[in-house]
Coordinates of all heavy atoms in Angstrom, one line a residue:
M848 N 0.8 -1.2 0.0 CA 0.0 0.0 0.0 C 0.9 1.3 0.0 O 0.6 2.2 -0.7 CB -0.9 0.0 1.2 CG -2.0 0.9 1.2 SD -3.2 0.6 -0.1 CE -4.6 1.4 0.4
V849 N 1.9 1.2 0.8 CA 2.8 2.4 0.9 C 3.5 2.6 -0.4 O 3.7 3.7 -0.9 CB 3.8 2.2 2.1 CG1 4.9 3.3 2.1 CG2 3.1 2.2 3.4
I850 N 3.9 1.5 -1.0 CA 4.6 1.6 -2.3 C 3.7 2.2 -3.4 O 4.1 3.1 -4.1 CB 5.2 0.2 -2.7 CG1 6.2 -0.3 -1.8 CG2 5.7 0.2 -4.2 CD1 6.7 -1.7 -1.9
L851 N 2.5 1.8 -3.4 CA 1.5 2.3 -4.3 C 1.3 3.8 -4.1 O 1.2 4.6 -5.1 CB 0.1 1.6 -4.2 CG 0.0 0.3 -4.9 CD1 -1.3 -0.4 -4.7 CD2 0.3 0.4 -6.4
A852 N 1.2 4.2 -2.9 CA 1.0 5.6 -2.5 C 2.2 6.4 -3.0 O 2.1 7.5 -3.6 CB 0.8 5.8 -1.0
F853 N 3.4 5.9 -2.8 CA 4.6 6.5 -3.2 C 4.7 6.7 -4.8 O 5.0 7.7 -5.3 CB 5.9 5.7 -2.7 CG 7.2 6.3 -3.2 CD1 7.7 7.5 -2.7 CD2 7.8 5.7 -4.3 CE1 8.9 8.0 -3.1 CE2 9.0 6.3 -4.8 CZ 9.5 7.4 -4.2
L854 N 4.3 5.6 -5.5 CA 4.3 5.6 -6.9 C 3.3 6.6 -7.4 O 3.6 7.4 -8.4 CB 4.0 4.2 -7.5 CG 5.2 3.2 -7.4 CD1 4.8 1.9 -7.9 CD2 6.4 3.7 -8.2
F855 N 2.1 6.6 -6.9 CA 1.1 7.5 -7.3 C 1.5 9.0 -7.0 O 1.3 9.8 -7.9 CB -0.3 7.2 -6.6 CG -1.4 7.9 -7.1 CD1 -1.9 7.7 -8.4 CD2 -2.1 8.8 -6.4 CE1 -3.0 8.3 -8.9 CE2 -3.2 9.5 -6.9 CZ -3.6 9.3 -8.2
G856 N 2.0 9.2 -5.9 CA 2.5 10.6 -5.5 C 3.6 11.0 -6.5 O 3.6 12.2 -6.9
S857 N 4.5 10.1 -6.8 CA 5.6 10.5 -7.8 C 5.0 10.8 -9.1 O 5.5 11.8 -9.8 CB 6.6 9.3 -7.9 OG 7.2 9.0 -6.6
I858 N 4.0 10.0 -9.6 CA 3.4 10.3 -10.9 C 2.8 11.7 -10.9 O 2.9 12.5 -11.8 CB 2.4 9.2 -11.3 CG1 3.2 7.9 -11.6 CG2 1.6 9.6 -12.5 CD1 2.3 6.7 -11.7
L859 N 2.0 12.0 -9.8 CA 1.4 13.3 -9.7 C 2.4 14.4 -9.7 O 2.2 15.5 -10.4 CB 0.5 13.4 -8.4 CG -0.8 12.6 -8.5 CD1 -1.5 12.7 -7.1 CD2 -1.7 13.1 -9.6
I860 N 3.5 14.3 -9.0 CA 4.5 15.3 -9.0 C 5.1 15.5 -10.3 O 5.3 16.6 -10.8 CB 5.6 15.0 -7.9 CG1 5.0 15.1 -6.5 CG2 6.8 15.9 -8.1 CD1 5.9 14.5 -5.4
F861 N 5.4 14.4 -11.0 CA 5.9 14.5 -12.4 C 5.0 15.2 -13.4 O 5.4 16.1 -14.1 CB 6.2 13.1 -12.9 CG 6.7 13.0 -14.3 CD1 8.0 13.4 -14.7 CD2 5.8 12.6 -15.3 CE1 8.4 13.3 -16.0 CE2 6.2 12.6 -16.6 CZ 7.5 12.9 -17.0
L862 N 3.7 14.8 -13.3 CA 2.7 15.4 -14.2 C 2.5 16.9 -13.9 O 2.4 17.7 -14.8 CB 1.4 14.7 -14.1 CG 1.3 13.3 -14.7 CD1 0.0 12.6 -14.4 CD2 1.6 13.3 -16.2
N863 N 2.5 17.2 -12.6 CA 2.4 18.6 -12.2 C 3.5 19.5 -12.7 O 3.3 20.6 -13.3 CB 2.3 18.7 -10.7 CG 2.0 20.1 -10.2 OD1 1.2 20.8 -10.9 ND2 2.5 20.5 -9.1
H864 N 4.7 18.9 -12.6 CA 5.9 19.6 -13.1 C 5.8 19.8 -14.6 O 6.1 20.9 -15.1 CB 7.2 18.9 -12.7 CG 8.4 19.5 -13.2 ND1 8.9 20.7 -12.7 CD2 9.3 19.1 -14.2 CE1 10.0 21.0 -13.4 NE2 10.2 20.0 -14.3
K865 N 5.5 18.8 -15.3 CA 5.4 18.9 -16.8 C 4.4 19.9 -17.2 O 4.6 20.8 -18.1 CB 5.0 17.5 -17.4 CG 6.1 16.6 -17.5 CD 6.9 16.9 -18.7 CE 8.1 16.0 -18.9 NZ 9.1 16.5 -19.8
L866 N 3.2 19.9 -16.6 CA 2.1 20.9 -17.0 C 2.5 22.3 -16.7 O 2.3 23.2 -17.5 CB 0.8 20.5 -16.3 CG 0.2 19.2 -16.8 CD1 -1.0 18.9 -15.9 CD2 -0.2 19.3 -18.2
N867 N 3.1 22.5 -15.5 CA 3.5 23.9 -15.1 C 4.6 24.4 -15.9 O 4.7 25.6 -16.2 CB 3.9 23.9 -13.6 CG 2.6 23.8 -12.7 OD1 1.5 24.2 -13.2 ND2 2.8 23.4 -11.5
S868 N 5.6 23.6 -16.3 CA 6.7 24.1 -17.1 C 6.2 24.5 -18.5 O 6.7 25.4 -19.1 CB 7.8 23.0 -17.2 OG 7.4 21.9 -17.9
G869 N 5.2 23.8 -19.0 CA 4.6 24.2 -20.3 C 4.0 25.6 -20.2 O 4.1 26.4 -21.1
E870 N 3.2 25.8 -19.1 CA 2.5 27.0 -18.9 C 3.6 28.2 -18.7 O 3.4 29.3 -19.1 CB 1.6 27.0 -17.7 CG 0.3 26.2 -18.0 CD -0.5 26.8 -19.2 OE1 -0.7 28.0 -19.3 OE2 -0.8 25.9 -20.1
E871 N 4.6 27.8 -18.0 CA 5.7 28.8 -17.7 C 6.3 29.3 -19.0 O 6.6 30.5 -19.2 CB 6.7 28.2 -16.8 CG 7.7 29.2 -16.2 CD 8.7 28.5 -15.3 OE1 8.3 27.8 -14.4 OE2 9.9 28.7 -15.5
K872 N 6.6 28.3 -19.9 CA 7.2 28.7 -21.2 C 6.3 29.6 -22.0 O 6.7 30.6 -22.6 CB 7.5 27.4 -22.0 CG 8.7 26.7 -21.6 CD 8.9 25.4 -22.4 CE 10.0 24.5 -21.8 NZ 10.0 23.2 -22.3
K873 N 5.0 29.2 -22.0 CA 4.0 30.1 -22.7 C 4.0 31.5 -22.2 O 4.0 32.4 -22.9 CB 2.6 29.5 -22.6 CG 2.4 28.2 -23.4 CD 1.0 27.7 -23.3 CE 0.8 26.4 -24.0 NZ -0.6 25.8 -23.9
E874 N 4.0 31.6 -20.8 CA 4.0 33.0 -20.2 C 5.3 33.7 -20.6 O 5.2 34.9 -20.8 CB 3.8 32.8 -18.7 CG 2.4 32.5 -18.3 CD 2.3 32.3 -16.8 OE1 3.1 32.9 -16.0 OE2 1.4 31.6 -16.4
E875 N 6.4 33.0 -20.6 CA 7.7 33.7 -20.9 C 7.7 34.1 -22.3 O 8.2 35.2 -22.6 CB 8.9 32.7 -20.6 CG 9.1 32.5 -19.1 CD 9.5 33.7 -18.4 OE1 10.3 34.5 -18.9 OE2 9.0 33.9 -17.2
I876 N 7.2 33.4 -23.2 CA 7.2 33.8 -24.6 C 6.2 34.9 -24.8 O 6.5 35.9 -25.4 CB 6.8 32.6 -25.5 CG1 7.8 31.5 -25.5 CG2 6.5 33.1 -27.0 CD1 7.5 30.2 -26.2
L877 N 5.0 34.8 -24.2 CA 4.0 35.8 -24.3 C 4.5 37.2 -23.8 O 4.2 38.2 -24.5 CB 2.7 35.4 -23.5 CG 1.5 36.3 -23.6 CD1 1.0 36.4 -25.1 CD2 0.4 35.9 -22.8
K878 N 5.2 37.2 -22.7 CA 5.7 38.5 -22.2 C 6.8 39.1 -23.1 O 7.1 40.3 -22.9 CB 6.1 38.4 -20.8 CG 7.4 37.8 -20.4 CD 7.6 37.8 -18.9 CE 8.9 37.3 -18.6 NZ 9.1 37.1 -17.1
R879 N 7.3 38.4 -24.0 CA 8.3 38.9 -24.9 C 7.7 39.4 -26.2 O 8.4 40.0 -27.1 CB 9.4 37.8 -25.2 CG 10.3 37.6 -24.1 CD 11.2 36.4 -24.2 NE 12.2 36.3 -23.2 CZ 12.1 35.9 -22.0 NH1 10.9 35.5 -21.6 NH2 13.1 35.9 -21.1
L880 N 6.4 39.2 -26.4 CA 5.7 39.6 -27.6 C 5.2 41.1 -27.3 O 5.0 41.4 -26.2 CB 4.5 38.7 -27.9 CG 4.9 37.3 -28.4 CD1 3.7 36.4 -28.5 CD2 5.7 37.3 -29.7
P881 N 4.9 41.8 -28.4 CA 4.4 43.2 -28.2 C 3.1 43.3 -27.4 O 2.9 44.3 -26.7 CB 4.2 43.7 -29.6 CG 5.1 42.8 -30.5 CD 5.1 41.5 -29.8
G882 N 2.2 42.3 -27.5 CA 1.0 42.4 -26.7 C -0.1 43.3 -27.3 O -1.0 43.6 -26.6
Y883 N 0.0 43.6 -28.6 CA -1.0 44.4 -29.2 C -2.3 43.6 -29.6 O -3.3 44.2 -29.8 CB -0.5 45.1 -30.5 CG 0.7 46.0 -30.3 CD1 1.7 46.0 -31.2 CD2 0.8 46.8 -29.1 CE1 2.8 46.9 -31.0 CE2 1.8 47.6 -28.9 CZ 2.9 47.7 -29.9 OH 3.9 48.5 -29.7
N884 N -2.2 42.3 -29.7 CA -3.3 41.4 -30.1 C -3.9 41.9 -31.4 O -5.1 41.9 -31.5 CB -4.3 41.3 -29.0 CG -3.8 40.5 -27.8 OD1 -3.2 39.4 -28.0 ND2 -4.0 40.9 -26.6
C885 N -3.1 42.4 -32.3 CA -3.6 43.0 -33.5 C -3.9 41.9 -34.6 O -4.7 42.2 -35.5 CB -2.5 43.9 -34.1 SG -0.9 43.0 -34.5
G886 N -3.4 40.7 -34.5 CA -3.7 39.7 -35.4 C -3.0 39.8 -36.8 O -3.2 39.0 -37.7
A887 N -2.0 40.7 -36.9 CA -1.3 40.9 -38.1 C -0.4 39.7 -38.5 O -0.1 39.5 -39.6 CB -0.4 42.2 -38.0
C888 N -0.1 38.9 -37.5 CA 0.7 37.7 -37.7 C -0.1 36.6 -38.4 O 0.4 35.6 -38.9 CB 1.2 37.2 -36.4 SG 0.0 37.0 -35.1
G889 N -1.5 36.7 -38.3 CA -2.3 35.6 -38.8 C -2.7 34.6 -37.8 O -3.4 33.6 -38.1
Y890 N -2.3 34.8 -36.5 CA -2.7 33.8 -35.5 C -3.8 34.4 -34.6 O -4.1 33.7 -33.5 CB -1.4 33.4 -34.7 CG -0.4 32.8 -35.5 CD1 0.9 33.4 -35.7 CD2 -0.6 31.6 -36.2 CE1 1.8 32.8 -36.5 CE2 0.4 31.0 -37.0 CZ 1.6 31.6 -37.2 OH 2.5 31.0 -38.0
G891 N -4.3 35.5 -34.9 CA -5.5 36.0 -34.2 C -5.2 36.8 -32.9 O -5.9 37.8 -32.6
S892 N -4.1 36.5 -32.2 CA -3.8 37.2 -31.0 C -2.3 36.8 -30.6 O -1.8 35.9 -31.2 CB -4.7 36.8 -29.8 OG -4.5 35.5 -29.5
C893 N -1.8 37.5 -29.6 CA -0.5 37.1 -29.2 C -0.5 35.7 -28.5 O 0.5 35.0 -28.7 CB 0.0 38.2 -28.2 SG 0.3 39.8 -28.9
A894 N -1.6 35.4 -27.9 CA -1.7 34.0 -27.3 C -1.6 33.0 -28.4 O -1.0 31.9 -28.3 CB -2.9 33.9 -26.5
G895 N -2.3 33.3 -29.5 CA -2.3 32.4 -30.7 C -0.9 32.3 -31.3 O -0.4 31.2 -31.7
M896 N -0.1 33.4 -31.2 CA 1.3 33.4 -31.7 C 2.1 32.5 -30.8 O 3.0 31.7 -31.3 CB 1.8 34.8 -31.7 CG 3.3 34.9 -31.9 SD 3.8 34.2 -33.5 CE 3.9 35.7 -34.5
V897 N 1.9 32.5 -29.5 CA 2.6 31.6 -28.6 C 2.4 30.2 -29.0 O 3.4 29.4 -29.1 CB 2.2 31.9 -27.1 CG1 2.8 30.8 -26.2 CG2 2.5 33.3 -26.7
E898 N 1.2 29.8 -29.2 CA 0.9 28.4 -29.6 C 1.7 28.1 -30.9 O 2.2 27.0 -31.1 CB -0.6 28.2 -29.8 CG -1.4 28.3 -28.5 CD -1.0 27.3 -27.4 OE1 -0.6 26.2 -27.7 OE2 -1.2 27.7 -26.2
A899 N 1.7 29.0 -31.9 CA 2.3 28.8 -33.1 C 3.8 28.7 -32.9 O 4.5 27.8 -33.6 CB 2.0 30.0 -34.1
I900 N 4.4 29.5 -32.1 CA 5.9 29.4 -31.8 C 6.2 28.0 -31.2 O 7.3 27.5 -31.5 CB 6.3 30.5 -30.8 CG1 6.3 31.9 -31.6 CG2 7.7 30.3 -30.3 CD1 6.5 33.1 -30.7
L901 N 5.3 27.5 -30.4 CA 5.6 26.2 -29.8 C 5.6 25.1 -30.8 O 6.2 24.0 -30.6 CB 4.7 25.9 -28.6 CG 4.8 26.8 -27.4 CD1 3.7 26.5 -26.4 CD2 6.2 26.6 -26.8
K902 N 4.9 25.3 -31.9 CA 4.9 24.3 -33.0 C 6.0 24.6 -34.0 O 6.5 23.7 -34.6 CB 3.5 24.3 -33.7 CG 2.4 23.8 -32.8 CD 1.1 23.9 -33.5 CE 0.0 23.6 -32.5 NZ -1.3 24.3 -32.9
D903 N 6.3 25.9 -34.3 CA 7.3 26.3 -35.2 C 8.0 27.5 -34.7 O 7.5 28.6 -34.6 CB 6.6 26.7 -36.6 CG 7.6 27.3 -37.5 OD1 8.8 27.1 -37.4 OD2 7.1 27.9 -38.5
K904 N 9.3 27.3 -34.3 CA 10.0 28.3 -33.6 C 10.3 29.5 -34.4 O 10.7 30.6 -33.9 CB 11.3 27.8 -33.0 CG 12.4 27.4 -34.0 CD 13.6 26.9 -33.3 CE 14.7 26.5 -34.3 NZ 15.9 26.1 -33.7
E905 N 10.1 29.4 -35.7 CA 10.3 30.6 -36.6 C 9.1 31.4 -36.8 O 9.1 32.5 -37.4 CB 10.8 30.1 -38.0 CG 12.1 29.3 -38.0 CD 13.3 30.2 -37.5 OE1 13.3 31.4 -37.9 OE2 14.1 29.7 -36.8
A906 N 8.0 31.0 -36.2 CA 6.7 31.7 -36.3 C 6.8 33.2 -35.9 O 6.1 34.0 -36.4 CB 5.6 31.0 -35.6
Y907 N 7.6 33.5 -34.9 CA 7.7 34.8 -34.3 C 8.1 35.8 -35.4 O 7.8 37.0 -35.3 CB 8.7 34.9 -33.2 CG 10.1 34.8 -33.6 CD1 10.9 35.9 -33.9 CD2 10.7 33.5 -33.7 CE1 12.2 35.8 -34.3 CE2 12.0 33.4 -34.1 CZ 12.8 34.5 -34.4 OH 14.1 34.4 -34.9
Q908 N 8.7 35.4 -36.5 CA 9.1 36.2 -37.6 C 7.9 36.9 -38.3 O 8.0 37.9 -38.9 CB 9.8 35.4 -38.7 CG 11.0 34.7 -38.2 CD 12.3 35.5 -38.2 OE1 12.2 36.7 -38.5 NE2 13.4 34.9 -37.9
K909 N 6.7 36.3 -38.1 CA 5.5 36.9 -38.7 C 4.8 38.0 -37.9 O 3.9 38.6 -38.3 CB 4.4 35.8 -38.9 CG 4.9 34.7 -39.8 CD 3.8 33.6 -40.0 CE 4.4 32.5 -40.9 NZ 3.5 31.3 -40.9
C910 N 5.4 38.3 -36.7 CA 4.9 39.4 -35.9 C 5.4 40.7 -36.5 O 6.6 41.0 -36.4 CB 5.3 39.3 -34.4 SG 4.8 40.6 -33.4
R911 N 4.5 41.4 -37.1 CA 5.0 42.7 -37.8 C 5.4 43.8 -36.9 O 6.4 44.5 -37.1 CB 3.9 43.1 -38.8 CG 3.7 42.1 -39.9 CD 2.7 42.5 -40.9 NE 2.6 41.4 -41.8 CZ 1.8 41.4 -42.9 NH1 1.2 42.5 -43.2 NH2 1.7 40.4 -43.7
P912 N 4.7 44.1 -35.8 CA 5.1 45.2 -35.0 C 6.3 44.9 -34.0 O 6.7 45.8 -33.4 CB 3.8 45.5 -34.1 CG 3.0 44.4 -34.2 CD 3.4 43.5 -35.4
M913 N 6.8 43.7 -34.0 CA 7.8 43.4 -33.1 C 9.1 44.1 -33.5 O 9.6 44.0 -34.7 CB 8.0 41.9 -33.0 CG 9.0 41.4 -32.0 SD 9.4 39.7 -32.0 CE 7.9 39.0 -31.5
R914 N 9.8 44.7 -32.5 CA 11.0 45.4 -32.8 C 12.2 44.4 -32.8 O 12.1 43.3 -32.3 CB 11.3 46.4 -31.7 CG 10.3 47.6 -31.8 CD 10.5 48.5 -30.7 NE 9.6 49.6 -30.8 CZ 10.0 50.9 -31.1 NH1 11.3 51.1 -31.3 NH2 9.2 51.8 -31.3
K915 N 13.3 44.8 -33.4 CA 14.5 44.0 -33.6 C 15.0 43.4 -32.2 O 15.3 42.3 -32.1 CB 15.6 44.8 -34.3 CG 16.8 44.0 -34.6 CD 17.8 44.9 -35.3 CE 19.2 44.2 -35.4 NZ 20.3 45.0 -35.0
E916 N 15.0 44.3 -31.2 CA 15.5 43.9 -29.9 C 14.6 42.8 -29.3 O 15.1 41.8 -28.7 CB 15.5 45.1 -28.9 CG 16.4 46.2 -29.3 CD 15.8 47.2 -30.3 OE1 14.5 47.3 -30.4 OE2 16.5 47.8 -31.1
A917 N 13.3 42.9 -29.5 CA 12.4 41.9 -29.0 C 12.6 40.6 -29.7 O 12.5 39.5 -29.1 CB 10.9 42.3 -29.1
K918 N 12.8 40.7 -31.0 CA 13.1 39.4 -31.8 C 14.3 38.7 -31.3 O 14.4 37.5 -31.2 CB 13.2 39.8 -33.3 CG 11.9 40.0 -34.0 CD 12.0 40.1 -35.5 CE 10.6 40.3 -36.1 NZ 10.6 40.5 -37.5
E919 N 15.4 39.5 -31.1 CA 16.6 39.0 -30.5 C 16.4 38.3 -29.2 O 16.9 37.2 -28.9 CB 17.7 40.0 -30.5 CG 18.2 40.5 -31.8 CD 19.1 41.7 -31.8 OE1 19.3 42.3 -30.7 OE2 19.6 42.1 -32.8
E920 N 15.5 38.9 -28.4 CA 15.3 38.4 -27.0 C 14.5 37.0 -27.1 O 14.8 36.1 -26.4 CB 14.5 39.4 -26.2 CG 14.6 39.1 -24.7 CD 14.0 40.2 -23.9 OE1 14.2 41.4 -24.2 OE2 13.2 39.9 -23.0
I921 N 13.5 37.0 -28.0 CA 12.8 35.7 -28.2 C 13.7 34.7 -28.8 O 13.7 33.5 -28.3 CB 11.6 36.0 -29.2 CG1 10.5 36.6 -28.4 CG2 11.1 34.6 -29.8 CD1 9.1 36.5 -29.0
E922 N 14.5 35.0 -29.8 CA 15.5 34.0 -30.3 C 16.4 33.5 -29.2 O 16.6 32.3 -29.1 CB 16.4 34.7 -31.4 CG 15.6 34.9 -32.7 CD 16.4 35.8 -33.6 OE1 17.5 36.3 -33.3 OE2 15.9 36.1 -34.7
K923 N 16.9 34.4 -28.3 CA 17.7 33.9 -27.2 C 17.0 33.0 -26.3 O 17.5 32.0 -25.9 CB 18.2 35.2 -26.5 CG 19.2 34.9 -25.4 CD 19.6 36.2 -24.7 CE 20.3 35.9 -23.4 NZ 20.4 37.1 -22.6
Y924 N 15.7 33.4 -25.9 CA 14.9 32.5 -25.0 C 14.7 31.2 -25.6 O 14.8 30.1 -25.0 CB 13.6 33.2 -24.7 CG 12.7 32.4 -23.8 CD1 13.0 32.3 -22.4 CD2 11.7 31.6 -24.3 CE1 12.2 31.5 -21.6 CE2 10.9 30.8 -23.5 CZ 11.2 30.8 -22.2 OH 10.4 30.0 -21.4
L925 N 14.3 31.1 -26.9 CA 14.0 29.8 -27.6 C 15.2 29.0 -27.6 O 15.2 27.7 -27.5 CB 13.4 30.1 -29.0 CG 12.1 30.8 -29.0 CD1 11.7 31.1 -30.5 CD2 11.0 29.9 -28.4
K926 N 16.4 29.6 -27.9 CA 17.6 28.9 -27.9 C 18.0 28.3 -26.5 O 18.3 27.1 -26.4 CB 18.7 29.8 -28.4 CG 20.0 29.0 -28.9 CD 21.0 29.9 -29.5 CE 20.7 30.2 -31.0 NZ 21.7 31.0 -31.6
E927 N 17.8 29.2 -25.5 CA 18.1 28.7 -24.1 C 17.2 27.5 -23.7 O 17.7 26.6 -23.0 CB 17.8 29.9 -23.1 CG 18.9 30.9 -23.0 CD 18.5 32.0 -22.1 OE1 17.5 32.0 -21.4 OE2 19.2 33.0 -22.1
K928 N 16.0 27.6 -24.1 CA 15.0 26.5 -23.7 C 15.0 25.4 -24.7 O 14.2 24.4 -24.5 CB 13.6 27.1 -23.5 CG 13.5 28.1 -22.4 CD 13.7 27.5 -21.1 CE 13.7 28.5 -20.0 NZ 14.1 27.9 -18.7
N929 N 15.9 25.5 -25.7 CA 16.0 24.4 -26.7 C 14.7 24.1 -27.4 O 14.3 23.0 -27.5 CB 16.5 23.1 -26.0 CG 17.4 22.3 -27.0 OD1 17.7 22.8 -28.0 ND2 17.6 21.1 -26.6
L930 N 14.0 25.2 -27.7 CA 12.6 25.0 -28.4 C 12.8 25.0 -29.9 O 13.7 25.5 -30.4 CB 11.7 26.1 -27.9 CG 11.3 26.0 -26.5 CD1 10.4 27.2 -26.1 CD2 10.5 24.7 -26.2
Ligands
SF4_1867 S1 1.3 40.4 -34.9 FE1 2.5 40.4 -33.0 S2 1.5 41.9 -31.7 FE2 0.0 41.3 -33.3 S3 -1.2 39.6 -32.5 FE3 0.5 38.7 -33.6 S4 2.1 38.4 -32.1 FE4 0.6 39.8 -31.2

C-alpha cells in the first residue's frame, strides 16, 4: 500500500511539473511579444502566436510590430530553452 502511494504521488508530482513548465514557457514567450493582439501575424492574438511558436520556432518572424530587440530576445529565449 505504501509503495502504491509513493508511486502514485511520484506520478502526480511528475505530471504537475510537466504541466506547469509548459505554462511557464507560454507565459515567458507571451511577455516577450508586443502584446497588441492585432492579429497581423495571422494567429489572431499574441496568445495564438505563442501556440504557433511552440509548433514552429520561426513563427515569431510573422509578428509585424515586433522590434528587432524583442526578436533577438525571443530568439535567445527559444535557444536557451531548446525549443
Ligand atoms: S502580430 Fe505580433 S502583436 Fe500582433 S497579435 Fe501577432 S504576435 Fe501579437
Side-chain angles (χ1 to χ4, degrees):
M848 194 66 160
V849 172
I850 293 171
L851 278 177
F853 175 76
L854 286 175
F855 190 64
S857 298
I858 290 169
L859 286 178
I860 290 169
F861 175 76
L862 290 175
N863 186 36
H864 176 72
K865 279 284 180 193
L866 292 173
N867 285 337
S868 67
E870 286 304 311
E871 190 181 308
K872 283 178 191 165
K873 287 181 184 179
E874 285 178 26
E875 289 297 320
I876 294 170
L877 185 60
K878 77 181 184 188
R879 287 169 169 81
L880 294 174
Y883 300 143
N884 289 316
C885 61
C888 53
Y890 300 114
S892 66
C893 295
M896 170 62 95
V897 171
E898 298 296 332
I900 289 171
L901 291 173
K902 291 176 189 155
D903 172 16
K904 69 177 183 179
E905 298 297 323
Y907 72 91
Q908 304 273 4
K909 295 179 184 169
C910 177
R911 296 184 184 183
M913 188 186 291
R914 292 174 178 252
K915 184 180 171 224
E916 298 82 28
K918 282 187 177 177
E919 289 170 355
E920 201 171 313
I921 282 199
E922 286 168 359
K923 185 179 166 195
Y924 178 78
L925 295 175
K926 197 176 274 185
E927 277 174 13
K928 295 296 175 184
N929 211 14
L930 295 173

